[in-house]
Amino acid sequence: MHSNSGPAAPGERPPLTPSLTGAELARWYWTLAELTELARRLDVPRGGGKAALTERLRAALDGEPLPATAPARRPTAGRGLCAPVDGTTVIPDGQRCSQVLREFFRREIGPEFHFDGYMRAYIAENAGRTLAEAVAHWHDTRAAAAEPQPIGTQFEFNRFLRAWHAGHPSGTRDEALAAWHAHRSAPRHPAAPVGPAAPA
């Protein structure tokens, strides 16, 4: 699917076109908007997040079969909990983090309650458990929730800034942004970490 359309100068990011190889695509930073536009041009499915989209584009550019995509999850109709609920209420299969649940947890836990990753996962993965058990899960996970949470690989900009500021505690935002622009403009080595190294 790629052709000889004139390579970019060494060390210069090439244009994002169907003439790239999958390996060359992976060497550079691209925004989700850029990848989505290329996927549209190649008639490649655009859902599933940046990492999945990149893998599909790499396969398409190299003329290989596209990786299997997970089927879209359809919402479960008519199964969500309705008020009133209490601690003995059982979480049904397909329950969402709804306003009914939010109001219940705020009554039981207090105004500090919010649906974080721990609670969203608990509601999604624990059909058959009670809301009282969900409240206990909230309290059991507060120490872990207070720790810095890993940033998903799709949020490379945020991951870079966190790593840069850890290595440059007195650095300014302008310096961090300049470092980010230099980072995203350079080719990446497959084994290189996403964040910058701390200064020696």
Side-chain angles (χ1 to χ4, degrees), residues 16 30-40 50 53:
L16 184 56
W30 310 98
T31 66
L32 180 58
E34 289 173 316
L35 295 173
T36 300
E37 176 57 30
L38 180 61
R40 189 176 288 113
K50 187 175 179 181
L53 178 56

Side-chain angles (χ1 to χ4, degrees), residues 69-147:
T69 56
R73 188 175 176 183
R74 297 186 179 182
T76 307
R79 290 177 136 180
L81 292 172
C82 298
V85 296
D86 60 26
T88 66
T89 302
V90 173
I91 301 169
D93 185 37
Q95 175 64 43
R96 297 184 177 197
C97 296
S98 65
Q99 188 60 31
V100 170
L101 291 189
R102 187 186 312 277
E103 291 172 0
F104 167 78
F105 290 131
R106 285 194 172 160
R107 282 197 312 269
E108 296 295 311
I109 294 167
E112 71 273 17
F113 172 79
H114 58 281
F115 281 113
D116 60 10
Y118 292 97
M119 289 301 286
R120 287 193 298 271
Y122 190 89
I123 297 302
E125 299 167 7
N126 285 278
R129 302 250 182 204
T130 66
L131 293 185
E133 290 176 293
V135 169
H137 176 73
W138 164 269
H139 292 298
D140 290 344
T141 56
R142 289 314 85 201
E147 297 292 324

Side-chain angles (χ1 to χ4, degrees), residues 154-178:
Q154 70 271 36
F155 303 115
E156 185 173 346
F157 174 69
N158 291 348
R159 293 174 64 230
F160 180 93
L161 288 186
R162 177 185 286 181
W164 190 90
H165 282 296
H168 306 79
S170 61
T172 67
R173 176 168 175 77
D174 286 345
E175 290 171 334
L177 292 177

